[in-house]
Every structure is written in C-alpha cells, then in structure tokens.
C-alpha cells in the first residue's frame, strides 16, 4: 500500500524523525546527568507532575504517552530521590496525588533552564521562529492523526 507521499518518502521521514529524537534525547539527557545527576526520564516525569493539577500516575501516563506501570515506576524513582511525594487522593481512595517537593521544584526550575538552553542550541538556532512554529503544528497534527488511527483500530 502506497501512502499519499510515497512509501519511501514516508519511511525516510520516519527514520529521520526517530534519529532526530534520539539525538536530541541523548544530548539533553547528557547535560542533565552531567549538571544535576538527573536523567531526562526523571525530568520528564517531574515536568508532568508540575504541569498537571491534582496529578495522578494515570495522568502522567497519558501526558507522556507511556503505560501506567512505567509512569508509576518513574514516580517511584523521583520519589526515592526526595523530589516528589504521593498523598492520598481525597476524591478517590484508590489513587494518590503526586506533588513535587520544594527540593523537586527547585531542581526542576534549574534543570529547565539547562534543557531550554540545549534545545535552543539544537533547535532554536537551526530554524527561524516561524518555521519552528509550523513544525510544531505539523508534529501536533501527526500525533492527532496517529491517535485517531489507534482509536479506529480499537
């Protein structure tokens, strides 16, 4: 089956996107590990906790497109370093609310500056702002199309 763009073009786009993601992840991860002893995976979980009001493990899983089990293990790792806590959920005794500790908030703030700087070097200076915004919109549209395809298969 050939897509609108042609099989080879779509396959090469996939390869390029995966390689770019890997290169970006590795570069940002290395900076965070070097400067804060903080793997990017933990940073990602901490960002989700900070962004989501009354955050539950389920919310982190949805936000990061990972399984609930992986999100729970991620929270366990962040909690083990004292950067988040789980509190009983007053609306649902079966779940907990996850919150950053003051130390977690401080680390996240400092690490975010480093992440933003590394991404600016690797993405922000590579393309004009308008092209970056267009790329962001295109990626969002592709993610939406993927979610729609997943829903149709269920």
């Amino acid at each position: 089956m050939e897509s609108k763009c042609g099989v080879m073009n779509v396959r090469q786009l996939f390869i390029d996107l995966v390689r770019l993601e890997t290169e970006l992840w590795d570069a940002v991860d290395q900076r965070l590990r070097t400067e804060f002893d903080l793997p990017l995976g933990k940073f990602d979980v901490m960002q989700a906790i900070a962004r989501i009001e009354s955050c539950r493990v389920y919310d982190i899983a949805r936000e990061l497109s990972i399984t609930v089990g992986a999100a729970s293990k991620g929270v366990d790792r962040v909690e083990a370093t004292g950067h988040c806590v789980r509190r009983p959920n007053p609306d649902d005794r079966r779940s907990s609310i996850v919150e950053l500790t003051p130390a977690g908030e401080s680390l996240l703030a400092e690490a975010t500056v480093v992440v933003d700087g590394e991404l600016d070097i690797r993405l922000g200076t590579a393309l004009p702002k308008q092209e970056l915004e267009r790329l962001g919109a295109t990626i969002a549209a592709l993610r939406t199309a993927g979610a729609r395809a997943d829903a149709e298969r269920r």
Side-chain angles (χ1 to χ4, degrees):
M1 178 169 83
E2 188 160 327
S3 68
K4 294 178 191 175
C5 297
V7 173
M8 291 305 291
N9 290 340
V10 173
R11 189 177 312 126
Q12 187 60 51
L13 175 62
F14 168 77
I15 291 166
D16 290 342
L17 285 170
V18 170
R19 299 301 180 269
L20 176 61
E21 186 275 338
T22 300
E23 292 161 3
L24 288 171
W25 183 279
D26 289 348
V28 173
D29 183 66
Q30 184 59 45
R31 285 281 307 273
L32 287 174
R33 286 176 187 270
T34 299
E35 296 188 31
F36 302 101
D37 192 29
L38 177 66
L40 182 52
K42 275 186 178 175
F43 174 83
D44 217 10
V45 170
M46 291 172 69
Q47 276 193 305
I49 295 167
R51 266 194 308 267
I52 301 167
E53 189 173 329
S54 299
C55 182
R56 301 166 302 155
V57 168
Y58 174 80
D59 300 319
I60 295 168
R62 282 190 31 213
E63 176 82 8
L64 301 182
S65 299
I66 59 178
T67 66
V68 172
S72 183
K73 287 178 184 175
V75 170
D76 289 345
R77 287 189 287 274
V78 174
E79 190 173 31
T81 59
H83 294 121
C84 78
V85 294
R86 296 178 201 229
R87 303 203 189 285
N89 184 344
D91 298 326
D92 180 358
R93 292 185 317 178
R94 296 171 295 166
S95 69
S96 300
I97 301 296
V98 184
E99 299 172 342
L100 292 178
T101 62
E105 289 175 353
S106 178
L107 176 61
L108 181 61
E110 291 178 44
T112 297
V113 171
V114 170
V115 169
D116 289 349
E118 189 66 29
L119 292 176
D120 192 50
I121 290 167
R122 294 179 177 276
L123 296 173
T125 61
L127 296 171
K129 183 181 178 193
Q130 188 175 15
E131 285 188 47
L132 285 172
E133 290 171 355
R134 188 172 29 239
L135 177 60
T138 300
I139 290 170
L142 290 170
R143 290 187 73 202
T144 298
R148 191 175 325 121
D150 290 344
E152 289 172 2
R153 286 193 181 119
R154 288 186 203 125

